């Protein structure tokens, strides 16, 4: 039996480990987990004051009209103004504006010439990805979402005089931007992203080596930490710069990003740092550039390694909950939940994104499952205990015990005033000698059933069976109203039913069966007597001894009660005084009465 239990435990543990590993590998919680990761890890911090945004805002659009109607002379004028003083010009100027088609020849030439003379301009290209998956040489479908069909570059004259980088924004399935792309491979060449190109050019102007982040996937992706919420970077209206209202020396040695900063231009996205707002694309580029400068980029932890570790730990926790009690398991899961949050933040700080919710969620499910299992087992155990206990104690008392949260079966006792009843078959030894064993057992079982029902009917407790004798106590383990009278009623019920049983046995086995009953009341020590591994709930003391002696002195069919019992019930019973009789073990005699019936029920 134990071997089968261990087998099933092993099977469940392995199944749980495999399920956990599969769920972890498949990133089951997906965007929910990433949203929680954003809340934990994305925090505003000090923005780089060398990064500026020149916004094509509502003021600019109002003054110069829709951007689609602009000539390239405006862009040329902006580049010339920013670079008018060679000693205070920006390190990099990045235009987050598409200049793909040729327009006015003079304007195109002027803009290209301005960029050529400046030498610090980066413009955007746009990658167009294939909508249909490709197949390799073996005909296997590739689901790489970064197959580039073509790249839209600036018009030729401009492209020859600027650096370019694709401006495509990586939007996760939940609609939030939390990843950037480093570069793409197309037609045997590498195309850097807009942010990467600006970062590399800026580092070059500083005379420092560009340290590119670790990436993952075929899209050379990386996660990045936002530095600020919308509006955190210094934003200046393009109109104010062109009108000469801004001293361009403020941009000295900085990174200047020019891009849409008006709602109508439809260039806004949901940033991971702000789940209830929008951020313009040019601001997202600014955040990615600063993340590259500060080294605040991350890559996912190995899915395989995480899946294996999560599976092993969940299996270990499952085994722990089987062996340990609830509080050790509770302490462990609280520690794991807190530790998981700390670990997620530490890993993020050193450059790794790991799931936040899945592992603790699985542990919580295991923990709750074990709580339910323990609850069901406890209910079944209590049901079994109650079922067994009802064989000894009146069902009404058992119901009270089972509902009492403070009831404990412990060694020791208490001093209680109780009524005690003893009943015994007269001449049982002689009867046993003349009958077959199975007949003796049948007589004894029916007799014990009769006495037990009478005791339970009066809410007494069967203390013990002593061969053919039965000991019952009233007013223990719980308080019982009118318990002396209840003991008397139980004895009379036994006597009445015993007459029927005697006639039955005499007819079947040819032997007369009769009983003797003794009842006493008084103080006794009631409780569990024995040891921790074997207890016996009983009552001990002189009160019990006296009741047993009364039963020994009772004749066939006689009920003897002590004077103490008589004083309590005398107004409700009919008795015959016996007088003072000596009892074994007592120096003085005891005055006893023969109980005949209840008054009015002769």
């Amino acid at each position: 039996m134990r071997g089968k239990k261990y087998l099933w435990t092993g099977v469940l543990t392995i199944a749980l480990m495999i399920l956990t590993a599969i769920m972890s590998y498949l990133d089951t919680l997906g965007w929910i987990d990433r949203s929680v990761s954003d809340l934990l890890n994305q925090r505003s911090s000090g923005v780089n004051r060398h990064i500026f945004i020149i916004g094509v805002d509502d003021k600019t659009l109002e003054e110069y009209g829709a951007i689609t109607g602009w000539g390239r002379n405006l862009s040329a004028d902006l580049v010339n103004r920013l670079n008018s003083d060679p000693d205070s010009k920006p390190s990099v100027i990045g235009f987050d504006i598409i200049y793909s088609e040729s327009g006015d020849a003079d304007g195109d030439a002027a803009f290209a010439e301005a960029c050529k003379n400046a030498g610090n301009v980066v413009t955007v290209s746009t990658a167009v990805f294939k909508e249909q998956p490709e197949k390799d040489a073996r005909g296997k479908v590739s689901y790489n979402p970064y197959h580039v069909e073509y790249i839209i570059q600036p018009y030729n004259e401009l492209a020859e005089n600027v650096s370019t980088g694709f401006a495509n924004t990586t939007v996760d399935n939940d609609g939030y931007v939390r990843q950037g792309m480093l570069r793409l491979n197309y037609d045997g060449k590498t195309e850097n992203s807009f942010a990467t190109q600006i970062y590399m050019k800026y580092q070059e102007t500083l005379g420092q080596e560009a340290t590119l982040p670790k990436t993952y996937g075929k899209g050379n992706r990386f996660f990045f930490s936002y530095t600020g919420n919308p509006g955190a970077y210094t934003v200046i209206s393009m109109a104010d710069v062109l009108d000469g209202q801004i001293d361009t020396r403020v941009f000295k040695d900085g990174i200047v990003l020019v891009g849409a900063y008006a709602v109508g231009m439809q260039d806004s996205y949901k940033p991971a740092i702000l789940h209830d707002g929008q951020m313009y694309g040019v601001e997202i580029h600014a955040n990615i550039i600063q993340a590259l400068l500060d080294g605040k980029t991350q890559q996912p932890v190995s899915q395989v390694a995480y899946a294996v570790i999560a599976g092993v730990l969940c299996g270990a926790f499952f085994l722990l909950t089987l062996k340990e009690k609830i509080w050790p398991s509770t302490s462990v899961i609280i520690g794991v939940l807190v530790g998981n949050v700390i670990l997620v933040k530490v890993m993020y700080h050193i450059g790794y994104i790991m799931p936040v919710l899945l592992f603790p969620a699985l542990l919580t499910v295991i923990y709750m499952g074990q709580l339910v299992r323990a609850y069901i087992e406890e209910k079944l155990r209590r049901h079994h205990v109650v079922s067994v206990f009802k064989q000894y104690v009146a069902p009404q008392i058992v119901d009270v015990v089972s509902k009492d949260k403070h009831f404990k079966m412990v060694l020791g006792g208490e001093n209680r005033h109780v009524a005690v009843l003893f009943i015994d078959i007269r001449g049982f030894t002689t009867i046993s000698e003349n009958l077959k064993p199975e007949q003796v057992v049948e007589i004894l079982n029916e007799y014990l059933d009769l006495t037990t029902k009478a005791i339970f009917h009066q809410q007494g407790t069967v203390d013990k069976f002593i061969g053919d004798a039965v000991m019952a106590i009233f007013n223990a383990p719980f308080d019982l109203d009118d318990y002396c009278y209840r003991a008397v009623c139980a004895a009379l019920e036994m006597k009445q039913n015993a007459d029927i049983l005697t006639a039955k046995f005499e007819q079947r086995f040819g032997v007369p069966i009769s009983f003797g009953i003794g009842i006493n009341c008084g103080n006794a020590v009631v409780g569990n007597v024995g040891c921790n591994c074997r207890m016996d709930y009983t009552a001990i003391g002189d009160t019990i001894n006296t009741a047993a002696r009364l039963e020994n002195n009772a004749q066939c069919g006689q009920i003897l009660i002590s004077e103490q019992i008589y004083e309590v019930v005398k107004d409700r019973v009919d008795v015959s005084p016996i007088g003072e009789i000596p009892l074994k073990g007592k120096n003085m005699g005891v005055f006893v009465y023969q109980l005949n019936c209840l008054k009015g029920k002769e």
Side-chain angles (χ1 to χ4, degrees):
M1 189 69 179
R2 180 173 294 182
K4 185 177 292 186
K5 179 180 178 182
Y6 288 152
L7 175 62
W8 276 109
T9 299
V11 170
L12 285 174
T13 303
I14 293 173
L16 179 64
M17 291 171 65
I18 293 174
L19 179 62
T20 299
I22 292 174
M23 293 179 67
S24 301
Y25 183 78
L26 295 178
D27 190 22
T28 304
L29 295 182
W31 66 268
I32 300 176
D33 198 286
R34 287 189 288 275
S35 295
V36 175
S37 178
D38 293 341
L39 294 174
L40 283 176
N41 298 315
Q42 296 284 5
R43 291 286 183 273
S44 297
S45 57
V47 297
N48 190 322
R49 293 304 174 185
H50 288 88
I51 298 177
F52 302 90
I53 294 175
I54 294 180
V56 182
D57 56 2
D58 291 329
K59 182 178 181 180
T60 304
L61 296 175
E62 183 178 346
E63 186 166 342
Y64 296 100
I67 192 170
T68 54
W70 290 2
R72 305 286 161 75
N73 287 313
L74 278 178
S75 300
D77 189 17
L78 181 62
V79 172
N80 290 331
R81 282 182 176 276
L82 293 174
N83 291 284
S84 59
D85 183 358
D87 294 327
S88 61
K89 69 177 185 178
S91 294
V92 184
I93 302 172
F95 280 88
D96 185 21
I97 301 172
I98 299 292
Y99 297 103
S100 58
E101 298 180 359
S102 298
D104 174 65
D106 291 339
D108 289 351
F111 185 37
E113 183 66 20
C115 292
K116 178 181 179 180
N117 294 333
N120 61 353
V121 178
V122 177
T123 62
V124 294
S125 59
T126 302
V128 178
F129 301 103
K130 297 181 180 180
E131 295 182 1
Q132 299 296 326
E134 292 187 340
K135 295 183 179 180
D136 58 21
R138 296 174 296 176
K140 184 178 180 181
V141 175
S142 171
Y143 290 98
N144 178 13
Y146 299 102
H147 281 304
V148 180
E149 188 167 353
Y150 58 90
I151 293 180
I152 301 174
Q153 295 285 3
Y155 62 93
N156 292 336
E157 192 176 357
L158 178 62
E160 293 172 358
N161 294 289
V162 296
S163 300
T164 61
F166 63 89
N168 300 69
T169 302
T170 303
V171 180
D172 287 348
N173 293 334
D174 60 350
Y176 289 91
V177 177
R178 54 176 67 89
Q179 299 186 64
M181 283 188 287
L182 193 65
R183 52 171 59 102
L184 287 171
N185 296 317
Y186 167 67
D187 199 20
K189 295 182 292 186
T190 299
E191 179 84 2
N192 290 328
S193 70
F194 183 54
T196 301
Q197 191 66 41
I198 291 176
Y199 164 66
M200 294 176 66
K201 195 169 186 67
Y202 181 68
Q203 291 295 92
E204 182 181 345
T205 62
L206 297 178
Q208 299 177 6
E209 183 179 355
T211 304
L212 298 179
K214 295 179 180 179
T215 60
Y216 77 102
K218 295 181 179 180
N220 289 308
R221 289 166 290 163
F222 59 89
F223 289 85
F224 68 93
S225 299
Y226 282 81
T227 302
N229 287 314
Y233 288 95
T234 301
V235 181
I236 301 171
S237 173
M238 181 176 174
D240 291 340
V241 178
L242 291 174
D243 291 348
Q245 298 182 31
I246 301 297
D247 186 347
T248 57
R249 288 178 295 179
V250 300
F251 304 116
K252 178 180 176 1
D253 299 329
I255 296 173
V256 177
L257 301 177
V258 184
Y261 212 82
V263 175
M265 299 184 72
Q266 298 181 343
D267 186 31
S268 59
Y269 302 87
K270 295 192 292 185
I273 195 173
L274 185 68
H275 277 213
D276 58 353
Q278 298 279 320
M279 179 178 281
Y280 291 111
V282 67
E283 289 182 298
I284 290 179
H285 288 308
N287 275 279
I288 297 175
I289 292 167
Q290 181 161 349
L292 292 172
L293 288 169
D294 297 343
K296 293 182 178 181
T297 63
Q298 301 82 31
Q299 62 175 322
V301 296
S302 168
Q303 286 179 286
V304 174
Y306 183 82
V308 171
I309 293 173
V312 170
L313 291 179
C314 281
F317 181 72
F318 175 70
L319 293 176
L320 175 70
T321 57
L322 287 177
K323 295 181 180 180
E324 295 293 339
K325 294 183 178 179
I326 185 65
W327 285 115
S329 299
T330 302
S331 301
V332 169
I333 196 168
I334 291 174
V336 169
L337 294 178
V338 174
N340 182 71
V341 172
I342 295 173
L343 179 62
V344 165
K345 294 182 73 66
V346 170
M347 292 294 287
Y348 187 88
H349 181 72
I350 63 177
Y352 290 94
I353 292 281
M354 62 178 291
V356 181
L357 293 179
L358 184 59
F359 178 60
L362 290 171
L363 287 187
T364 302
V365 170
I366 294 171
Y367 175 75
M368 296 304 295
Q370 295 293 53
L371 282 183
V372 172
R373 177 193 61 80
Y375 174 78
I376 293 174
E377 287 184 351
E378 177 62 18
K379 291 289 287 185
L380 291 174
R381 187 195 67 81
R382 288 181 66 88
H383 177 73
H384 175 71
V385 170
V386 168
S387 298
V388 173
F389 204 25
K390 283 184 177 180
Q391 300 176 39
Y392 301 93
V393 183
Q396 301 93 322
I397 295 179
V398 176
D399 290 337
V400 175
V401 172
S402 63
K403 294 175 183 177
D404 186 358
K405 297 180 180 180
H406 304 289
F407 182 78
K408 295 182 180 179
M409 295 293 287
V410 294
L411 287 173
E414 59 175 329
N415 198 318
R416 294 181 69 93
H417 193 277
V418 295
V420 186
L421 179 151
F422 277 88
I423 180 172
D424 182 42
I425 298 177
R426 291 294 176 254
F428 186 71
T429 303
T430 304
I431 293 172
S432 301
E433 292 175 352
N434 299 322
L435 297 175
K436 295 179 180 179
E438 56 269 24
Q439 294 174 328
V440 174
V441 171
E442 181 181 348
I443 292 173
L444 188 58
N445 286 342
E446 291 203 39
Y447 152 72
L448 295 177
D449 181 66
L450 177 154
T451 56
T452 301
K453 285 180 178 178
I455 294 167
F456 286 178
H457 184 234
Q458 296 299 328
Q459 299 184 24
T461 300
V462 175
D463 184 284
K464 61 175 62 70
F465 296 136
I466 314 167
D468 60 314
V470 179
M471 172 184 169
I473 54 177
F474 296 79
N475 200 39
F478 292 99
D479 294 338
L480 184 64
D481 64 295
D482 208 7
Y483 50 90
C484 291
Y485 182 70
R486 289 179 180 275
V488 167
C489 290
L492 291 171
E493 184 177 337
M494 291 178 191
K495 180 180 178 181
Q496 180 182 357
N497 293 327
D499 294 339
I500 300 172
L501 195 62
T502 296
K504 175 182 175 181
F505 287 151
E506 190 165 5
Q507 181 180 0
R508 290 182 58 187
F509 304 124
V511 292
I513 303 294
S514 60
F515 311 93
I517 302 175
I519 309 173
N520 186 32
C521 68
N523 289 326
V525 177
V526 182
N528 294 304
V529 178
C531 59
N532 288 325
C533 60
R534 179 68 172 89
M535 299 182 191
D536 181 23
Y537 187 83
T538 189
I540 57 177
D542 183 65
T543 298
I544 286 73
N545 295 333
T546 300
R549 300 293 183 264
L550 290 175
E551 177 267 312
N552 286 334
N553 282 271
Q555 303 299 314
C556 293
Q558 189 177 39
I559 303 173
L560 296 184
I561 63 174
S562 66
E563 189 171 11
Q564 287 78 9
I565 285 285
Y566 174 72
E567 289 298 325
V568 176
V569 301
K570 61 184 178 181
D571 295 332
R572 291 176 284 176
V573 297
D574 182 73
V575 299
S576 299
I578 301 296
E580 186 177 293
I581 63 172
L583 295 181
K584 184 178 179 182
K586 285 187 167 290
N587 296 326
M588 299 178 60
V590 175
F591 198 95
V592 299
Y593 298 83
Q594 175 182 297
L595 178 63
N596 298 322
C597 62
L598 299 179
K599 284 188 176 179
K601 295 186 179 182
E602 289 84 351

